[in-house]
Amino acid sequence: MMQIEELKVRIKSEPSTFISYLEKLIKTNKFDDGEVLEIAILMIKYGSDKLSDEQWAIFLVNGILCDKYIDQCDSCSEQMPWSNMYSAIFINQDYLCANCRYMENKIKV
Ligand SMILES: [Zn+2]
């Protein structure tokens, strides 16, 4: 599956913002799969380089890609920054990046 490899590359190139997102997901109990949670904790502790291909696949398919990842903002189609991911999916549930949400709210007011 192509998306797994792409996502893996993205996570490895943006480790600190991804880890912040991951910590938020763990703190708010968004992982109901115990195996995925275990891998998430391993990644925070030892870094993503320590994961096997199998762990990566489980983590991405059963965890992140399940319902915790948006590729693009629904409005501007820019890549969704990790720092905006939690809010777009879980708080506002609008699938918008922070810039577009700001603009939309401005128009509404
Ligand atoms: Zn946007």
Side-chain angles (χ1 to χ4, degrees):
M1 224 197 282
M2 194 58 201
Q3 211 187 349
I4 294 179
E5 281 310 307
E6 278 174 17
L7 196 51
K8 197 169 154 180
V9 169
R10 184 177 176 198
I11 289 171
K12 286 191 172 201
S13 69
E14 304 167 325
S16 61
T17 44
F18 178 74
I19 292 296
S20 308
Y21 176 52
L22 200 52
E23 286 172 338
K24 227 178 221 181
L25 292 173
I26 293 173
K27 266 184 213 148
T28 52
N29 294 314
K30 300 296 185 212
F31 291 109
D32 39 24
D33 183 321
E35 195 178 13
V36 172
L37 178 61
E38 223 170 86
I39 297 168
I41 291 167
L42 280 178
M43 191 187 270
I44 290 171
K45 261 187 158 171
Y46 304 111
S48 62
D49 288 339
K50 295 281 184 278
L51 300 188
S52 69
D53 287 344
E54 199 192 340
Q55 285 174 319
W56 268 110
I58 294 167
F59 177 68
L60 294 180
V61 175
N62 300 345
I64 300 302
L65 284 171
C66 211
D67 53 4
K68 300 166 183 54
Y69 182 71
I70 311 165
D71 196 33
Q72 300 176 331
C73 167
D74 250 12
S75 178
C76 67
S77 300
E78 292 287 325
Q79 188 174 57
M80 182 66 72
W82 293 115
S83 57
N84 293 174
M85 199 76 74
Y86 190 87
S87 155
I89 300 174
F90 297 105
I91 300 174
N92 295 287
Q93 302 175 339
D94 53 9
Y95 286 38
L96 296 179
C97 71
N99 288 337
C100 290
R101 185 173 311 116
Y102 174 77
M103 293 308 289
E104 282 219 345
N105 289 338
K106 225 172 144 184
I107 292 162
K108 273 179 208 159
V109 175

